[in-house]
Amino acid sequence: MTKSKTQVLFVVMLAVLTAFGQCAFSQEPAPGPSQDQQRSAAPNIAIGAGDLLNIVVFDTPELTTSVRVTQDGDVNLPVLGMMKLAGLNTIEAARKIEDELRSRHLILEPHVTVFITEYASQGATVMGEVRTPGAYPTLGTRRLLDMLSVAGGLQTTAGKTVSIVHRDDPQHPVTIPLQSGSATMYAQENPIILPGDTIVVAKAGVVYVIGDVLKPGGFLIDNNTPISLMQSLSLAGGWDKTAALSKTKLIRKTSEGREEIDLDLKHVAYGSQADMSVQDGDIIFVPSSVSKTMTYRGIEAAISLTSSLLLYLH
């Protein structure tokens, strides 16, 4: 074989080997996530009494086990014995077991993974102003709106806030404002609900405006947003032309019993007297001008009417 043919053959073989190497490299699977990356993706849920844990010690099957947490928060591990894991999340528990294996010189470089395979409470509790309060499963990914829907939706008396109490941090509940109307639901904050969480839908306040007004009834007010006397009357459409504004009464329930406050809406309407805030459960009674005074029977009739309105709202 001549020198030129040898050079051509060498170039062809080099090209084939290069192409084969590129193909083999492109088919090589991407490296999987490291153990630290897998741990960082795990949900930060504290281990609790009654939970079932799957503890895997890499390349040491005799130390791998499935164990349930006792009521004292301990687990009984092979060789290591009793160890308290309650209150830790899965990452912290794995590191604690690794440290124990290392300190006892059982394994030089242990790699431990802890999974919560069964929660003592597999569900979340939905309470407050929902149609069907109770405990509902959270298997899979469940979000706030999912749980509210499973609980039958909101009552007409629901307020504008919902609180979420996490099992692993009960002292710091999270308060979330509820958006109203389909046009704003896309902006609703919708966090994931974890097993053991408690959802509490706040109750809105109710102020009753009855008597000689255009639309008497009970009107919902958010407890976190104060409402004034005049705003309450505007919800009722204002007063009729036959109303005796100077004889208006505010009936308020206190710890010492029922309190009646005389009001002169004429002075409040014209700004000569300051407006005042009303509270949840207040009754604003605007009498007709044909009645010069409001008798005890009239007050009782007003309270009876508000009770009927309350039943209607529920």
Side-chain angles (χ1 to χ4, degrees), residues 149-275:
S149 176
V150 170
L154 302 177
Q155 291 272 23
T156 55
T157 54
K160 296 180 181 178
T161 59
V162 58
S163 298
I164 301 175
V165 182
H166 296 298
R167 187 183 73 169
D168 58 344
D169 192 12
Q171 302 302 321
H172 300 89
V174 179
T175 301
I176 297 176
L178 287 176
Q179 303 288 345
S180 59
S182 57
T184 57
M185 284 306 292
Y186 70 92
Q188 171 68 50
E189 189 177 350
N190 195 21
I192 293 176
I193 301 301
L194 302 176
D197 284 355
T198 300
I199 303 169
V200 182
V201 179
K203 181 180 180 180
V206 182
V207 59
Y208 304 93
V209 184
I210 57 177
D212 205 359
V213 292
L214 297 180
K215 295 187 298 181
F219 301 95
L220 299 180
I221 58 172
D222 187 69
N223 290 330
N224 299 320
T225 306
I227 186 172
S228 70
L229 173 65
M230 296 305 295
Q231 287 175 327
S232 303
L233 288 164
S234 67
L235 293 174
W239 51 81
D240 204 348
K241 58 184 179 181
T242 59
L245 300 182
S246 61
K247 302 296 182 180
T248 301
K249 292 276 188 177
L250 175 64
I251 306 169
R252 176 171 293 171
K253 185 178 181 180
T254 67
S255 58
E256 299 179 354
R258 193 172 61 205
E259 179 184 7
E260 299 174 17
I261 303 173
D262 295 324
L263 299 174
D264 190 339
L265 288 182
K266 187 180 297 184
H267 291 303
V268 177
Y270 290 106
S272 58
Q273 183 177 333
D275 200 356

Side-chain angles (χ1 to χ4, degrees), residues 9 12 21 49 54 61 71 99 103 131 175 213 219 232 267 291:
L9 180 61
V12 171
N54 185 25
Q71 291 301 314
D99 292 340
S103 65
R131 297 190 184 278
T175 301
V213 292
F219 301 95
S232 303
H267 291 303
S291 178

Side-chain angles (χ1 to χ4, degrees), residues 110-129:
H111 297 281
V112 178
T113 305
V114 177
F115 301 95
I116 304 177
T117 56
E118 181 181 315
Y119 294 95
S121 173
Q122 290 280 6
T125 302
V126 186
M127 304 171 57
E129 300 305 300

